[in-house]
Amino acid sequence: MDIDGSEEDPEMKKYSAVCVGREEDIKKSERMTAVVHDREVVIFYHKGEYHAMDIRCYHSGGPLHLGDIEEFDGRPCIVCPWHKYKITLATGEGLYQSINPKDPSAKPKWCSKGIKQRIHKVTVDNGNIYVTLSKEPFKCDSDFYATGVFKVIKSSS
Ligand code: FES
């Protein structure tokens, strides 16, 4: 039964939740990769919370599923294995350290570049993990590597 019309409307279908695996498996592996409506995503399980984001780093397309998770300024981040960019798991913000050049004694401070990596929604139902792609209308830098010529998974249509 097509309750929400998503089977008919391809735009709606793109934003329907997709089952990507079992809760018990991701709790063991702490990360998994999936293709959700032709978009590659990585799902992390970190300190009891789920986070999903585009798998390719917004900077140059690095494989975020191979990065380490570390905390910066109290915020858990995935560190891209290619050039060590730090991306917050919860919001997809790019973090960097800055120092006030007029004050050489100042300690470097963590700052945000804003949202750079697109974050997707994770839900759990009956032991299954579902990912729903982000519908946020802003242009996110990671879209570049998740769509078009850089997309690894080609649509069959
Ligand atoms: Fe991720 Fe450069 S590709 S930091």
Side-chain angles (χ1 to χ4, degrees):
M1 188 167 60
D2 183 19
I3 298 168
D4 57 6
S6 63
E7 280 178 25
E8 318 248 303
D9 182 344
E11 259 315 289
M12 289 274 289
K13 193 166 184 236
K14 214 163 100 186
Y15 299 111
S16 59
V18 169
C19 181
V20 295
R22 297 282 302 162
E23 203 179 7
E24 64 208 34
D25 295 330
I26 194 172
K27 279 187 170 167
K28 271 187 231 141
S29 61
E30 299 191 330
R31 61 184 66 187
M32 63 168 61
T33 62
V35 177
V36 177
H37 298 305
D38 282 355
R39 193 168 184 121
E40 283 184 294
V41 298
V42 54
I43 304 103
F44 296 107
Y45 177 71
H46 181 72
K47 294 194 172 169
E49 289 185 15
Y50 295 99
H51 305 278
M53 60 175 62
D54 286 342
I55 199 167
R56 295 178 172 274
C57 174
Y58 73 89
H59 173 227
S60 236
L64 292 182
H65 60 299
L66 302 180
D68 291 328
I69 293 175
E70 290 178 47
E71 281 203 11
F72 300 95
D73 209 20
R75 307 177 76 185
C77 295
I78 183 74
V79 181
C80 179
W82 281 7
H83 313 103
K84 307 295 177 202
Y85 277 30
K86 292 133 185 75
I87 301 166
T88 61
L89 292 182
T91 59
E93 285 167 80
L95 296 190
Y96 67 101
Q97 277 191 305
S98 91
I99 200 155
N100 181 350
K102 293 191 179 134
D103 179 4
S105 67
K107 282 205 181 131
K109 263 190 4 194
W110 284 103
C111 303
S112 171
K113 300 177 193 173
I115 297 172
K116 296 292 187 177
Q117 197 74 19
R118 193 175 281 278
I119 297 294
H120 306 288
K121 191 169 128 200
V122 182
T123 45
V124 183
D125 184 29
N126 207 15
N128 293 315
I129 311 276
Y130 292 85
V131 172
T132 307
L133 294 180
S134 152
K135 248 201 252 192
E136 294 297 315
F138 73 103
K139 191 174 166 338
C140 193
D141 286 5
S142 68
D143 293 343
F144 184 72
Y145 295 101
T147 56
V149 292
F150 290 96
K151 194 165 87 168
V152 171
I153 312 295
K154 303 287 180 204
S155 169
S156 52
S157 58

